[in-house]
Amino acid sequence: MASRKESAASGSNPLDTPVKQIQIDGLVVLKIIKHYQEEGQGSEVVQGVLLGLVVEDRLEITNCFPFPQHTEDDVEFDEVQYQMEMMRSLRHVNIDHLHVGWYQSTYYGSFVSRALLDSQFSYQHAIEESVVLIYDPIKTAQGSLCLKAYRLTPKLMEICKEKDFSPEGLKKACIGYEHMFEEVPIVIKNSHLINVLLLDLQEKSTVADKHELLNLSSSNHLEKSLQLLMDRMDDMSQDIGKYNTYCRNLSKQQQQKQQYLQRRQQENAQRQSRGEPPLPEEDISKMFKPPQAPARMDTLLIAGTRGVNGRCSPSIKRLFLPAYSAGHWKFIVLCLKESIHELINSAMNGSI
Amino acid sequence: MVSHCLCKRPPTSARGQQQESHGDLRSLSSSLFIIILHFLYEVMAVHGPVVKIHPVVLASIVDSYERRNEGASRVIGTLLGTTDKHSVEVTNCFSVPHNESEDEVAVDMEFAKNMYELHKKVSPSEVIIGWYATGYDITEHSVLIHEYYSREAPSPIHLTVDTALQSNKMNIRAYVSSQMGVPGKTVGVMFTPLTVKYIYYDTERIGVDLLHRTRASASRTNGLTTDLAQVASAAGRVQEMLSTVLSYIEDVLSGKVMADNSVGRFLMDLVNKVPKITAEDFESMLNSNINDLLMVTYLANLTQAQIALNEKLVVL
């Protein structure tokens, strides 16, 4: 499923996309992780700004800074001012002060929302190459860093510009939920000095490997993911219901219009036979106001969420394939992982 | 204990040189301090709180060193974090522009205050706990800067990161200052080293593991690998560990290595940790788990197909 989405994205990638690859500094990765860890416990999202440069067809992200949480009681807090001050200060210490995007954490993949769309649209409109980095802390805690970069497809940009979210508009542009976001591949880069630092840390640090990747108990996350999926499905069915009523109303109205026209014609015919002037053809559209077409954007967004959500399952499944083949042996290994590490340490010390 | 006797030496030499001017005394005592410090650090003296550093702080310091202005030999900055009774946890930092020349040093404290205010808006629990400098030695300027910072925080920590790699390693050391000397006459400042530990959040450790992999590739870049590859490598690591244990056991059995009681106890722990369930029970548990996952995958695929169909119909 994941590959299908990516191939769809690459298929719709025109050759003139400004950004083909994203290069992130290790420092940015660490900062994003830390920001979520400290400020974002629970299901709140944390956000921040990415700074960097555009080099040929790569977008290099070299630094970032976090945004404070929005609290209702902080009325006098001015976001723009915070951003301007931060960038001005960073310029003094030679940090790239060019805005190239923003990042956001997500809760189980439910990040596709109206707010995200609006923000990304305004960013992409102002700065052509900007991306939104989505950091999934829960998936990361399960063993592998989950960081994805998304941009809006040009089609979606067009629609957002015209703010035409009616069904006709979307139909014209032929947008499905697969064509909303395109994913850009990420590459992590470190300078030589940071590599030295990492070597040093590896020698000195005594934190044990925890092997979360081999953890078989994923039912907790599975439950939550399913819960979210069901919520989304409920929303979607409500939306579809609304759309259906709209269609029905529209067709009923068409019928009424037809009937009215017919009656008019009949009356006119009668009047003519009686020699009276025909009644004026009133402006029918004024009489029958077309019912409000519900914004289809939300439906698309919900569908987009589901598309991303489904990615949890295949990865969990893949996790299980080796477990299944290894079977009993792996189960034992899991129980022993910590004791093995202690044992190794003491064995090394003992045998020296 | 060793540190105690060493500390007693400087006061005597200070008394003997009371006649000399303060300038000479200062330089002599500072060089003496540095010698003492080096010795102390070999002995790993522990005075004061333990300093726990997050890797993000070090990466940030290295990055600001790489971006320093022309002509500046080192960078300094503020450390933010939290303190408690026995330890200081450093979780964030930012660099502060400063100018250093032979006889004077100027630090932009206004800038430091501003940045601290901005940072406080994001994480209100972080306070200024000290400052850092790149470079190997503690110079006299450091003493002055340390004084600035002691106005901001009680007993600030001074961190040095040797980015010039003097001893082929990036020495990361932390110090806290204390008064010393003869009270009333010549007073000096001594920097006592502290133990430095690195602590990680779980997710941080995973991030750092990923960053380690950039060392292998020539262009210092690394893509984010797929799940399957990572699971395979994790399984490989555990397998290595097990084979090490097995080879050790065989050595002991064949008499090549002396049996160690503590290792034996660990081994017993190891074997006892495996829960006692029969093979059939385990198989049925694993199978039902896999069935659940497969069902969820199937449902997810179904919904995706349904949505795709829906969209096609709407567009028609």
Side-chain angles (χ1 to χ4, degrees), chain B residues 169-221:
Chain B
K169 254 205 233 193
M170 199 178 273
N171 277 310
I172 298 168
R173 301 181 175 188
Y175 305 94
V176 84
S177 80
S178 43
Q179 293 281 326
M180 58 133 286
V182 181
K185 304 262 178 148
T186 45
V187 211
V189 169
M190 180 174 67
F191 284 94
T192 32
L194 305 167
T195 351
V196 170
K197 283 210 179 115
Y198 305 108
I199 79 172
Y200 302 67
Y201 299 125
D202 283 340
T203 38
E204 260 186 341
R205 196 172 31 79
I206 295 172
V208 171
D209 279 342
L210 185 68
L211 296 183
H212 276 306
R213 265 180 262 142
T214 62
R215 285 188 282 136
S217 88
S219 61
R220 304 178 325 239
T221 59

Side-chain angles (χ1 to χ4, degrees), chain A residues 1 34 37-39 82 94 140 144 176-177 188 190-192 199-200 202 210 315 331 333 336 342, chain B residues 66-67 69 91 122-123 170 201 203 206 214-215 220 222 227 230 238 266 270 282 301 304 311:
Chain A
M1 256 190 291
K34 169 205 174 285
Q37 193 73 32
E38 295 198 342
E39 309 296 328
Y82 172 83
N94 296 338
T140 306
S144 63
Y177 70 91
I188 297 192
N190 276 327
S191 69
H192 291 298
L199 263 172
D200 219 34
Q202 201 174 31
K210 271 211 202 138
S315 58
F331 183 56
V333 156
L336 309 179
E342 287 173 25
Chain B
E66 287 173 354
R67 288 170 186 278
N69 285 319
T91 51
V122 180
S123 28
M170 199 178 273
Y201 299 125
T203 38
I206 295 172
T214 62
R215 285 188 282 136
R220 304 178 325 239
N222 178 41
D227 291 328
Q230 283 167 334
V238 179
F266 275 128
L270 201 76
F282 174 71
N301 276 330
Q304 188 164 42
E311 302 229 327

